[in-house]
Amino acid sequence: MELFNYFRSSASYRVRIALALKGLDYVYRPVHLVRNEQQAEPYATASISRLVPLLKDGESYVGQSLAIIEYLDETHPEPPLLPADALGRARVRALAQDIACEIHPLNNLRVLRYLTRELAVDEDAKNRWYRHWVEEGLAVFERRLADGQAGQFCHGDQPGLADCVLVPQIFNARRFDCKLDHVPRLMQIFERCMQHEAFAKTQPSACPDAE
């Protein structure tokens, strides 16, 4: 397998964690978003969305981080990243989508660039935009964790899909100095995740293209 990704991309980090949790080997293919390498050939042809990450497995490509992680879970079932029961799977997907669908789309690089380049939003206002949506979204995640089904990790005592999505978002939140004292359960899980090799060895600073 080959993973086309960018070290600072939170969506890419999600997939790196999942691959590490599964113990799967892959070739790391850097795509530098700040330099717009995602718009250049041959990557632009391989990736319909011209986004990262993109997983190549044999001759097939899989895009979108959550789809990639579920693909890995179906093709390499152990250890599972989703619970065995339908309600558990729905809860974990909801947690993952609280970040991947509600927070991340408002705060990825192309959106922030549009704010500054097209709408002439200044740096301070851009950062306030970022912090607002991250802090609001993480508060929702925190409330969902209060349902009693979280254990050592987001769902039970083994890391799974929701943890793969949570950890990269906290890395980004810290980069932008977001408030995090209102999400204590979430932060406890984050700290526990970072003691796990799969999360630590795939973090942005450990990537071969880290700057």
Side-chain angles (χ1 to χ4, degrees):
M1 288 189 289
E2 300 175 50
L3 181 65
F4 297 85
N5 71 137
Y6 178 50
F7 78 102
R8 197 168 275 155
S9 157
S10 59
S12 297
Y13 187 11
R14 297 168 192 164
V15 177
R16 295 196 302 268
I17 295 167
L19 286 161
L21 287 170
K22 296 284 187 183
L24 296 173
D25 294 327
Y26 62 96
V27 178
Y28 188 107
R29 302 292 190 195
V31 179
H32 202 296
L33 300 186
V34 177
R35 298 173 190 156
N36 291 320
E37 290 179 359
Q38 72 276 16
Q39 303 291 345
E41 299 297 345
Y43 187 74
T45 296
S47 174
I48 295 171
S49 64
R50 298 184 180 179
L51 300 173
V52 294
L54 181 69
L55 182 74
K56 184 180 181 184
D57 189 7
E59 297 304 313
S60 299
Y61 290 92
V62 184
Q64 290 291 349
S65 61
L66 297 189
I68 294 171
I69 294 172
E70 293 216 31
Y71 169 78
L72 292 171
D73 210 36
E74 292 174 7
T75 55
H76 301 84
E78 297 297 328
L81 300 180
L82 284 161
D85 63 296
L87 280 175
R89 290 194 298 275
R91 177 181 181 274
V92 167
R93 287 177 174 129
L95 282 165
Q97 290 173 24
D98 280 338
I99 292 174
C101 300
E102 304 296 338
I103 300 176
H104 182 253
L106 294 168
N107 292 295
N108 66 18
L109 180 61
R110 61 180 179 165
V111 170
L112 298 180
R113 278 178 167 173
Y114 189 83
L115 287 174
T116 57
R117 296 178 181 180
E118 302 299 325
L119 301 183
V121 171
D122 64 33
E123 190 72 9
D124 180 65
K126 181 198 77 172
N127 290 341
R128 283 191 288 115
W129 161 281
Y130 187 102
R131 287 191 291 267
H132 171 78
W133 294 115
V134 170
E135 291 166 5
E136 289 283 316
L138 291 181
V140 172
F141 198 102
E142 178 80 1
R143 292 196 297 271
R144 205 181 294 279
L145 289 177
D147 64 5
Q149 296 186 64
Q152 296 293 302
F153 297 92
C154 288
H155 191 86
D157 294 327
Q158 299 297 323
L161 171 64
D163 306 281
C164 293
V165 179
L166 170 63
V167 166
Q169 185 60 62
I170 299 304
F171 266 76
N172 280 356
R174 284 179 163 174
R175 281 183 59 220
F176 281 82
D177 296 320
C178 294
K179 179 181 72 173
L180 295 170
D181 56 358
H182 66 309
V183 288
R185 290 187 186 89
L186 181 158
M187 291 307 297
Q188 288 174 359
I189 291 171
F190 170 79
E191 296 297 342
R192 193 169 293 117
C193 285
M194 292 313 299
Q195 296 171 20
H196 193 294
E197 182 185 19
F199 295 82
K201 74 178 184 180
T202 56
Q203 65 182 292
S205 62
C207 291
D209 56 334
E211 298 173 347

